[in-house]
Amino acid sequence: MRDYRNANEAVALAVRLARVEVVAAYPITPQTAIVEEIAGQIARGELDAEYIRVESEHSALAACYGAAVAGARVFTATSSQGLAYMYEMLHYASGSRVPVVMAVVNRGLAAPWTIWTDHQDSVSCRDTGWIQLYVETAQEALDTALQAYRIAEHGEVLTPVMVCLDGFVLSHTEEVVEIPRQEEVDSFLPPYRPAYYVDPERPAVFAPGMGPDLYPSYKRSQQLAMEKAREVIKAVDEEFGALFGRRYGGLAEPYRCEGAKAVLVTLGSVTSTAREVVDRLRQQGHAVGLLRLRALRPFPAQEIREILGGAEVVAVLDRNCSFGLEGAVCTEVKAALYGLARQPQVLGFIRGLGGQDISQADIEEIFQHALSFSPGRR
Amino acid sequence: MRIEELREEEFVCGSFACAGCGAILAVRLALKVLGPETVVVTTPSCLLGVTTFYPQLAFKVPCVNVPFPATAAAVSGLVAGLRRKGRENVRVLGIAGDGGTVDIGLQALSGALERGDRFIFLCYDNEAYMNTGGQRSGSTPLGASTATTPVGRGAKGEDRPKKDMLRIVAAHNIPYAASASIGYPADYIRKLEKAVKAGGPAYIQVLTPCPPGWGYRSDLTVHLARLAVQAGQWALAEYEEGAWRVKEVSNPRPVREYWALQKRFAHLLQESGGEG
Ligand SMILES: Cc1ncc(C[n+]2csc(CCOP(=O)(O)OP(=O)(O)O)c2C)c(N)n1
Ligand code: SF4
Ligand SMILES: [Mg+2]
């Protein structure tokens, strides 16, 4: 079925289709429509789930954690201040290898106070041990939320996933969305069957204390799970594509990168704008391309080397700032390219903070700037 | 249930608690009443530190450790998750120290109480943050010297009265709330049984003296837990179906007697010249 949906509604649909069993969430703009819609689905009898009306985001994730260790499939969603408020719980969830799926409707962080989109909230949490997938459209939000459960619950991954979507630009903008049928989703996503859960027959401690002799091995296992997640994210995207006819490039999605001298790296919804600019510049004879990072964690370093290794200049568009350095993605792209025999020049551009619009003209300017660095043009 | 009727089986044993730890006794008794079909949710505190530091895992029931502010929120999640999985027979017991209850855990506890889920929350009250070295909490009594309310020139220890947590909890109109003392085990056990039977959230705050934190000899724990009640420093109260009941003290003792046994009040006695 096709219908108009914004990304918030699309995520709520995914929650229903994934047969989530326990939801705990706290409202914050621009995430609110997700939790309202889920509450509505439960009230209308469309979703058979427990909705825990928590009093904060810290509690939202703690409640999801509790429900998940009881063996239930869980969901939460937040934005910005709410994600920051959850910070401590983020590490508990990932460290305990609990497969929570959370929608992060990206919004800038105060101060100054803002409700509009940028990626500072989730990028600031990139070291919390969560998988982070950034989507470009409402359709992808729905599809990625479904994929997220397969990834998070994979026996060798068991790592929580953030599905990051740009506030307002995606969360409040309707587009035509193909809504999968329940039977199709059921065949893609079986019920969650955890190997470990709270069971008095097999008493266990979740999140015990660990001394310096053992603690590192647990952290290493998280890192190995992230490495494994690279494969799993790609395989799940492929499988999803075979079933539903929609693929998103796994970890990173190149667009017209063949023979490109200058490539722009993006995350999220601005990619759609950049595609149009790439088409126009290509038409004008400029060798430009685009690489959208779908996963920020695990970081697609290999894909970046393969796709960007042949470019002369790489421009990285960051909707965040790692204060005292530069845009966080820019640093990471540079690190990925480190050691290549022929290294492209990497230029960082911080744009679109706190909802600042990024127009085609802005992106064209970035490309012009990048092309002017290209040795062929000098 | 009389004390003699308690199960022999231990559900927390081999902990690293100090000799004479009141807290571990409170937890031990609670689990004997609740039994094996229980999951404990606990939080950074002495209890967590002395029971669940791998490989020393002292609980014989499942135990879920959560962040300091989050005990009651995780309890809610477990209640929902277990219900969802058709295992609501498993009792959920949240346990936190006074700091994890009356201070940093208050918001989550208020939320969980208000949601009305069926669980038991046990606050073991040793009247300070013992796990981090004995700093004051909202539950520290007036006058007690702690690591952050030291006695000095112009400073006489804790300068605010103890937070009246039981009334805060009762204001949520939950089915059952009580204060207890490990010095009165029969009363404590009876209250635990009532908590088990309550149709919704039940809260018990139990006084658990702490030898190093309060500064007394480790064989005096139970004595002090009784003396606190007899000296009017701890009430054995019950809030049930909207009504309060407070146990009358049959043999009141002077507060000085209670203070005199503990270093944390030593300055008060010097000041009052032995009067009390
Ligand atoms: C968010 C957070 N802040 C501070 C701490 C440090 N901390 C751990 S236990 C504790 C005190 C616990 O006091 P209480 O709850 O009374 O339990 P007790 O140790 O007295 O048994 C503190 C301050 C922490 N673990 N997490
Ligand atoms: S410091 Fe006090 S509360 Fe902590 S283990 Fe020792 S006696 Fe028990
Ligand atoms: Mg304490």
Side-chain angles (χ1 to χ4, degrees):
Chain A
M1 186 182 102
R2 289 172 149 245
D3 206 349
Y4 281 104
R5 289 285 191 278
N6 62 39
N8 275 351
E9 294 162 345
V11 167
L13 272 172
V15 168
R16 193 189 84 198
L17 290 166
R19 300 186 185 277
V20 167
E21 297 171 292
V22 177
V23 176
Y26 190 79
I28 179 168
T29 305
Q31 155 267 35
T32 35
I34 299 180
V35 296
E36 290 172 359
E37 180 52 25
I38 293 172
Q41 287 170 352
I42 295 172
R44 294 190 297 271
E46 296 162 10
L47 172 65
D48 177 20
E50 302 258 348
Y51 189 121
I52 309 176
R53 290 166 187 85
V54 285
E55 79 303 323
S56 77
E57 288 87 353
H58 195 287
S59 288
L61 194 48
C64 282
Y65 178 74
V69 297
R73 180 175 281 162
V74 300
F75 175 82
T76 188
T78 191
S79 295
S80 175
Q81 314 298 135
L83 183 63
Y85 199 25
M86 277 181 186
Y87 184 76
E88 175 182 40
M89 261 321 298
L90 294 175
H91 285 272
Y92 264 79
S94 60
S96 299
R97 311 292 294 277
V98 168
V100 182
V101 171
M102 164 157 67
V104 177
V105 185
N106 287 111
R107 156 180 160 179
L109 281 160
W113 187 80
T114 178
I115 58 167
W116 291 284
T117 198
D118 69 33
H119 297 156
Q120 195 72 36
D121 51 358
S122 52
V123 167
S124 300
C125 294
R126 70 193 192 279
D127 297 336
T128 55
W130 284 57
I131 291 167
Q132 289 195 342
L133 303 175
Y134 290 75
V135 305
E136 186 184 339
T137 62
Q139 180 76 63
E140 193 186 351
L142 192 164
D143 295 347
T144 301
L146 294 176
Q147 293 185 13
Y149 282 102
R150 281 284 304 274
I151 298 162
E153 293 170 6
H154 186 285
E156 287 175 75
V157 175
L158 286 179
T159 296
V161 179
M162 292 185 200
V163 177
C164 305
L165 57 112
D166 291 338
F168 297 108
V169 179
L170 293 179
S171 69
H172 287 63
T173 309
E174 294 196 346
E175 51 178 275
V176 177
V177 173
E178 177 75 44
I179 302 166
R181 282 187 323 200
Q182 185 67 60
E183 313 82 72
E184 292 174 314
V185 175
D186 288 344
S187 67
F188 171 74
L189 179 64
Y192 173 44
R193 301 232 185 282
Y196 303 98
Y197 53 90
V198 165
D199 178 7
E201 300 285 310
R202 295 183 305 164
V205 177
F206 289 78
M210 286 286 166
D213 51 338
L214 282 170
Y215 183 90
S217 66
Y218 281 81
K219 293 295 131 182
R220 189 176 132 79
S221 79
Q222 280 180 255
Q223 171 71 351
L224 294 177
M226 274 284 187
E227 296 294 344
K228 180 71 190 178
R230 289 175 199 286
E231 254 171 66
V232 173
I233 292 168
K234 286 190 267 191
V236 166
D237 191 39
E238 266 313 307
E239 194 187 319
F240 189 92
L243 267 167
F244 298 96
R246 294 183 296 276
R247 293 178 171 76
Y248 299 99
L251 300 170
E253 189 184 34
Y255 182 68
R256 302 189 79 169
C257 284
E258 316 77 40
K261 286 200 171 83
V263 178
L264 179 69
V265 177
T266 56
L267 249 65
S269 64
V270 74
T271 312
S272 303
T273 316
R275 261 181 234 279
E276 302 219 350
V277 178
V278 167
D279 285 347
R280 194 163 59 241
L281 291 176
R282 279 279 185 176
Q283 225 166 25
Q284 295 166 8
H286 299 291
V288 295
L290 176 65
L291 177 63
R292 171 172 80 102
L293 305 187
R294 183 166 178 249
L296 189 60
R297 286 292 180 277
F299 192 67
Q302 184 60 35
E303 286 76 4
I304 285 172
R305 275 195 292 279
E306 283 165 17
I307 297 161
L308 301 183
E312 288 171 2
V313 191
V314 171
V316 181
L317 179 50
D318 268 292
R319 288 193 101 152
N320 71 84
C321 180
S322 177
F323 301 103
L325 188 55
E326 59 189 347
V329 184
C330 182
T331 307
E332 303 200 336
V333 168
K334 285 179 185 167
L337 295 171
Y338 177 80
L340 282 186
R342 239 194 90 261
Q343 287 195 26
Q345 171 96 26
V346 179
L347 306 173
F349 298 86
I350 294 177
R351 296 286 189 277
L353 299 186
Q356 179 195 51
D357 194 30
I358 307 177
S359 66
Q360 294 198 12
D362 297 327
I363 292 177
E364 193 164 332
E365 196 187 313
I366 291 173
F367 270 122
Q368 295 302 354
H369 195 71
L371 284 167
S372 74
F373 269 81
S374 158
R377 293 273 300 247
R378 236 179 274 156
Chain B
M1 192 187 289
R2 289 175 319 170
I3 295 182
E4 308 84 76
E5 289 164 1
L6 275 183
R7 321 164 203 253
E8 285 287 317
E9 197 178 352
E10 300 291 347
F11 299 100
V12 56
C13 49
S15 86
F16 286 142
C18 310
C21 175
I24 203 74
L25 181 54
V27 172
R28 187 176 156 220
L29 288 173
L31 284 173
K32 276 175 180 272
V33 174
L34 267 70
E37 294 284 287
T38 302
V39 49
V40 168
V41 181
T42 190
T43 187
S45 59
C46 266
L47 179 67
L48 188 154
V50 303
T51 55
T52 64
F53 226 98
Y54 191 85
Q56 180 262 0
L57 305 173
F59 283 109
K60 282 216 267 174
V61 291
C63 174
V64 181
N65 290 336
V66 301
F68 203 19
T71 314
V75 161
S76 281
L78 265 150
V79 170
L82 289 167
R83 184 163 54 217
R84 207 28 235 225
K85 290 290 160 192
R87 293 191 280 130
E88 51 273 82
N89 59 312
V90 180
R91 291 193 181 110
V92 185
L93 172 67
I95 311 181
D98 46 297
T101 304
V102 316
D103 292 341
I104 200 166
L106 180 59
Q107 174 180 312
L109 177 58
S110 173
L113 294 175
E114 172 237 321
R115 285 188 293 273
D117 284 327
R118 201 159 171 195
F119 66 90
I120 301 172
F121 195 100
L122 180 66
C123 167
Y124 71 85
D125 191 353
N126 52 23
E127 304 194 313
Y129 298 159
M130 293 313 179
N131 186 51
T132 40
Q135 304 82 13
R136 63 87 65 185
S137 79
S139 207
T140 297
L142 183 65
S145 100
T146 70
T148 46
T149 55
V151 175
R153 219 161 10 118
K156 297 173 184 163
E158 173 64 34
D159 61 356
R160 299 289 307 153
K162 185 179 174 87
K163 193 184 283 192
D164 192 349
M165 186 63 187
L166 198 59
R167 283 222 302 219
I168 294 173
V169 167
H172 290 77
N173 293 319
I174 59 168
Y176 189 72
S179 58
S181 161
I182 53 154
Y184 292 83
D187 175 75
Y188 176 42
I189 289 164
R190 186 180 57 81
K191 286 170 174 167
L192 285 163
E193 286 183 287
K194 282 198 178 177
V196 169
K197 292 195 191 106
Y203 175 88
I204 297 181
Q205 185 165 345
V206 56
L207 182 68
T208 58
C210 161
W214 293 10
Y216 67 85
R217 263 189 11 229
S218 60
D219 59 336
L220 293 177
T221 295
V222 173
H223 178 65
L224 277 172
R226 291 186 77 81
L227 203 50
V229 175
Q230 292 159 355
Q233 302 304 293
W234 186 268
L236 299 178
E238 240 177 339
Y239 174 85
E240 208 176 357
E241 283 166 25
W244 285 98
R245 229 182 349 266
V246 183
K247 191 181 160 80
E248 269 189 40
V249 180
S250 48
N251 46 345
R253 311 290 314 160
V255 66
R256 185 172 30 134
E257 201 177 314
Y258 178 62
W259 286 353
L261 290 171
Q262 308 170 55
K263 282 211 190 80
R264 61 178 178 153
F265 295 119
H267 58 289
L268 299 179
L269 292 177
Q270 282 157 13
E271 191 178 279
S272 64
E275 284 160 38

